[in-house]
Amino acid sequence: MVAADGAGLLGLPFDETAARLAAAGIRPVHTAACWRVLYRDAPVAELPARLRTLFEAAGPSQLADPPIAARTDSRDGATTKYLLRLDDGQQIETVIMGYPGRFTACVSTQVGCAMGCVFCATGQMGFVRNLSAADIVAQVRFVARQLAARGERLRNVVLMGMGEPLHNYDAVMQALAVVSDPHGFGISPTRITVNTVGLVPGILRMAAERRPYSLGVSLHGSTEAERAALVPVSRRWPLADVLDACRAYCAETGRRIFFAWTLIDGVNDSPAHASRLAAQLVGIDAHVNLIELNPTPGYAGRGASRPAAETFRRVIQDAGIPCTIRQRRGVDVAAGCGQLRAERQPPARTAQAMR
Ligand code: SF4
């Protein structure tokens, strides 16, 4: 693990970096130079000798990317999925998704996931451990470097890889403070999306703390029973509570919420499902993203047909709610979260899904 504790500098917010330097007898005026080395690949040689010594003591993972255990490219060239190896041997997925004129890093926040969504390869493997802020920032830096090598720039980050971000709240918020800081990557907070499957306390905490990031909420079901069958954690935080939290979030922040809905053939893809979803979203500033199911070996369901997806979208739009069908980003590279790791590293279930 690339830990942001001990002597580590990677993943520390700017003011904490300054404090770390001060504790080592280095003047805080050097903090900006330290961040240029950490996040903009400035040469270490530019740093004062004492700061160079601090980097050496912190170890090579402060500056080196996690090793690539596997890589797959989609046939259309738009999506590249990496399996990155952490110091403890665990592997996590990080994806570069290319869209016209922009690139997005899809990063992981946990090894495995405790939420147990039945159609998700990460959910099927169970929870292994949280990532540290440094582990999360290291993925963003990895993608920024990969894109820089192609002459491109990273502009968007979405926390939709392995894990439930709000189940690892503190590390995630620390990492995002670094990712959005103009001293480092300087990615606009509005271009950073935290996607949750509906952890009510986390949604309310983001609102109360006025976190400036975009919020995505995955629903997948428009009744309690429907959702519970796909998202076991909804037994703990029912749909009604999730939607109440979303209303509170909108009222507190004035921001739109992006709702994700994985379309599964014959399960949740009918016009009736769409009508119920639209009715549930009354009073919420909502945008609905429809996602075709990525097939996984552990779930028998199939993705909805294109006509069914189009009809679903029309029903949502006719209710006055913006709705898009998200392109499946590189189904041929096992692009659903957890699929590449499930293929390459055997499951290591160490905790039960939250129910
Ligand atoms: Fe976890 Fe997200 Fe997969 Fe659900 S869909 S099991 S929240 S990683």
Side-chain angles (χ1 to χ4, degrees), residues 221-231 234-235 239:
S222 57
T223 66
E224 300 290 357
E226 250 172 51
R227 186 168 142 84
L230 296 170
V231 181
S234 67
R235 293 185 199 124
L239 177 61

Side-chain angles (χ1 to χ4, degrees), residues 113-117 119-120 122-123 161-164 197 337:
C113 183
M115 302 299 123
C117 303
F119 51 80
C120 168
T122 303
M162 296 167 65
E164 160 56 57
V197 78
C337 85

Side-chain angles (χ1 to χ4, degrees), residues 4 26 32 36 76 92 96 117 129 133 136 181 185-186 205 210 213 236 258-260 290 294-295 300 318 347:
I26 300 164
R36 282 197 295 277
D76 64 5
I92 52 167
I96 302 177
C117 303
R129 70 167 172 86
I136 298 166
D181 193 313
F185 303 105
R205 192 172 163 193
R210 300 250 167 186
Y213 315 112
R236 182 154 174 188
F258 296 85
F259 290 95
L290 303 176
N294 278 298
D318 288 350

Side-chain angles (χ1 to χ4, degrees), residues 32 58 71 90 153 205 250 252 278 290 313 341-342 347:
R71 166 189 170 151
Q90 291 296 338
R153 192 167 160 210
R205 192 172 163 193
C250 289
E252 187 75 27
L290 303 176
R313 172 168 63 177
R341 174 181 146 134

